[in-house]
Amino acid sequence: MCAILSRRDFLSLGISEAPAVEFGNSSQHLSTPAGKALFQMCGVFAEFERSMIQERVKAGLARARAQGKKLGRPRVAASIERKVRTHRTKGMGIKAIARKLGIGTGTVQRIVKEAA
């Protein structure tokens, strides 16, 4: 999304003149129609490029899934999960279990929730 700033907007920001954008040897003031058009075109191309990147990432993830690759962070070992369930049945708190086993509290919560 591209916002168009007026002269009043620049004045409210404490800027007395519209800024100039420099491209190589030429300079465009954003207060002129040509400068505004150039600025908006830059925004359009930036938005287009961002959309293209998103499409490529989604396509890559879909291809990886189709190849059967597991995405995301690996799970903790089954032995750790057993220890979490054992400590929890003994009444130990989530933070204490996480500290003792050296894992995150979110991991402990996920294991407890799956066990229930």
Side-chain angles (χ1 to χ4, degrees):
M1 188 169 158
C2 186
I4 300 173
L5 299 176
S6 66
R7 186 169 178 352
R8 187 177 340 140
D9 295 327
F10 286 114
L11 291 173
S12 69
L13 293 172
I15 302 170
S16 60
E17 286 186 28
V21 179
E22 294 185 22
F23 294 99
N25 295 334
S26 67
S27 173
Q28 290 288 330
H29 280 276
L30 297 180
S31 60
T32 65
K36 287 179 187 177
L38 183 64
F39 189 66
Q40 289 173 352
M41 282 188 274
C42 288
V44 167
F45 285 118
E47 189 175 341
F48 172 72
E49 181 60 27
R50 180 71 184 130
S51 296
M52 294 301 293
I53 291 169
Q54 288 175 337
E55 283 183 15
R56 287 193 298 266
V57 168
K58 287 177 184 175
L61 289 172
R63 186 179 64 244
R65 282 189 196 99
Q67 293 174 350
K69 294 188 179 178
K70 290 195 174 191
L71 302 174
R73 191 177 178 128
R75 294 177 67 103
V76 295
S79 61
I80 300 273
E81 289 192 19
R82 279 193 301 275
K83 288 178 185 177
V84 167
R85 286 190 286 272
T86 303
H87 288 310
R88 191 64 179 160
T89 56
K90 291 180 181 176
M92 190 180 261
I94 289 176
K95 285 185 182 180
I97 296 171
R99 223 175 294 121
K100 182 170 183 147
L101 299 177
I103 58 177
T105 56
T107 304
V108 175
Q109 289 174 347
R110 179 186 51 78
I111 294 168
V112 168
K113 183 179 177 184
E114 288 174 356

